[in-house]
Amino acid sequence: MKTPRSFNRNRLSYLRIPAAVTLIAAAVVSAIASFNPGPPNTRLTNDNGANGGYVSAYMLATGIPYTDQTLDECTVSHGRQNEPAVAVDPRNTSVLLGSSNDYCGVYNRGALAGAIGPIWLGYYRSLNGSWTSSLVPGYPDDTSPYAALSQRRTSSAGDPVIAWDGHGRAFFGSESSGDPAGTAKTFGDIFVARFANPGGADAADTTRDGLAYGGTTVIAKGSSAPNLLGVFHDKTSIEADRTGGVCDGNVYFAWARFSAAKNSNIYISRSTDHGVTFSNPQQLTSQVKNVQDPSISITGNGNVYVTWDEGPTNSNQTEGVGVVKSTDCGATFGPEKVLVGYTGYAAQDVSTPRPLPMPTLLPYAPLFNEGTAASGSLARDCGDFADACQSGYTFFRRATNTQATADQYDSNHEWIYVVYDASKGPILDTGTTYGTISQGKAAQTAAYFVRYNGATGAVDLGPTLLDDQAVGHQAFPDVSADGGVLHAFWWDSRHDPSYSPIRPFGNWANRTTVPSLDVFATTSINHGVSWTTPVKITDTMSNGNFEQFDNRAVPFGGDYLTITGLGSFAFGTWTDWRNTMQGSDPREVTEDEDNATADVKQCRTFNATTGWSGDQCPHDGGIDQNIYGAVTP
């Protein structure tokens, strides 16, 4: 028996009776038994001209031709994308929407002008497996009729998150930063963009769900200080109520509010008019500090939960997952509490900047002008030149991250399903300045699962390992739950030939790097009591250590992967480097250890007066980082 490809509103009551759970479980057992992802994985970011390249969202919805300088550049850019989001339409599982931090337009004024174009939210759309690439309207060069519907005031956007309601509407949440005037100000705004079926709510033709852009609403504004030093909103989460109850259609958006890039708190806002307006932000955390990575879960009775990561502080705060609960459709929330504790991790090293004659063009930092670390301070990522670290390793930032969800179609339980990556096993001396626990101390990292009973306020299952492996790091797990079936996946380095618990992903002891990253997935048909044997989803292993950011000096892989599902259907997305072209960096007069393994193809000239030029061949594959996806078990 196969689970239907379309879950429409008429099936909600079907999903809530025990017979439905039995039918879905049988379908999943059958699907897992025959599951074979098989090559190739699917590419969401067609910046290589495939599937028509990048097509205007206005043209997709109306059929009226439109393009601009940014879309034309995106079509041929072979550029960078990371931090993917994806969500399946609950009315039709053939309809998927995706997004990412999309850098495809940054060279829209030509390579010699430098990377000055927008980083923006991708809008990727799939019907039956074929992906069309676009951008959420409102980017700086957008002059389509849709542009006037956006309230955005910034030149860049990122941290995309997506949610569907049950009526054909989709919502893209984001933080939004850069100053259009080109100054160092980082606005730190947050916004939600909304898309609907052109035929209206609950339109019969579900293949057009989430197609027509309706506008972008700014929820909160930062203080516009340089280099993240003011009030800055970041680490976004979004969810919409699909329960059919009294809160049905509400949209909830949560984020971390940073003050002077130091203190942080979790805030939430809700919309009761389908994303047109949002309530004043409500602070959820007053008793804890150093919190981020919120995640919103809605149970079948419409109760709203927000979880987050709590880091350690000088006041002996418990390191783990925090949670609050609302029983009035997000109008108010109860007190915060610790859901579960863990021993977290964060890749770190000692910054040891190395001099380089500066190019005539400003380098483009990893994301939204994030600066490099001062000499001797702790760095969260390492590469070359100003991004060099004492250990000599090359690695992208990664740290413990929590994701949570609930089954909105389960009216019998008030369970929150939580996954996180944390330290596992003994803490070891690394013999270098690199560490994940502290400088010179590291441990293997693994993906954990917890089931939290919101009705009792206690964990009733876990923590358990999703996949207990003796070899390999696991990172950035995610989980989906709608329709009675849990789906989880994560980055995994069990096949990394250079693996060691005391070194970063893909780093040999001699500081060369190799492909090391795969994606694995598993599923549970009994609410997390047991999980199927994990399956490798990727058909190509990736090297996440390519130095593609900060003027080709440091790697950046983003902070999360995303999986979406309904019943036995699930689809996961990840950042991927299979298309990246290796190369040599001509600025390295004496080649360092990662030559031709972490260095990427680039073209530069040197002038004795002005120093090195910027990369003059950015279209040649050196920065070809992409978003890939696949159907998962």
Side-chain angles (χ1 to χ4, degrees), residues 278-289:
F278 281 81
S279 64
N280 290 329
Q282 176 182 173
Q283 184 177 339
L284 300 181
T285 53
S286 59
Q287 305 302 313
V288 292
K289 302 176 180 178

Side-chain angles (χ1 to χ4, degrees), residues 21-74:
V21 176
T22 301
L23 290 171
I24 292 174
V28 173
V29 171
S30 175
I32 295 302
S34 61
F35 183 80
N36 180 5
N41 297 154
T42 305
R43 180 167 168 166
L44 281 65
T45 47
N46 295 304
D47 57 1
N48 59 346
N51 294 338
Y54 275 60
V55 182
S56 165
Y58 175 73
M59 183 174 171
L60 287 175
T62 67
I64 300 172
Y66 170 82
T67 192
D68 54 45
Q69 196 163 349
T70 291
L71 292 173
D72 291 345
E73 167 63 20
C74 285

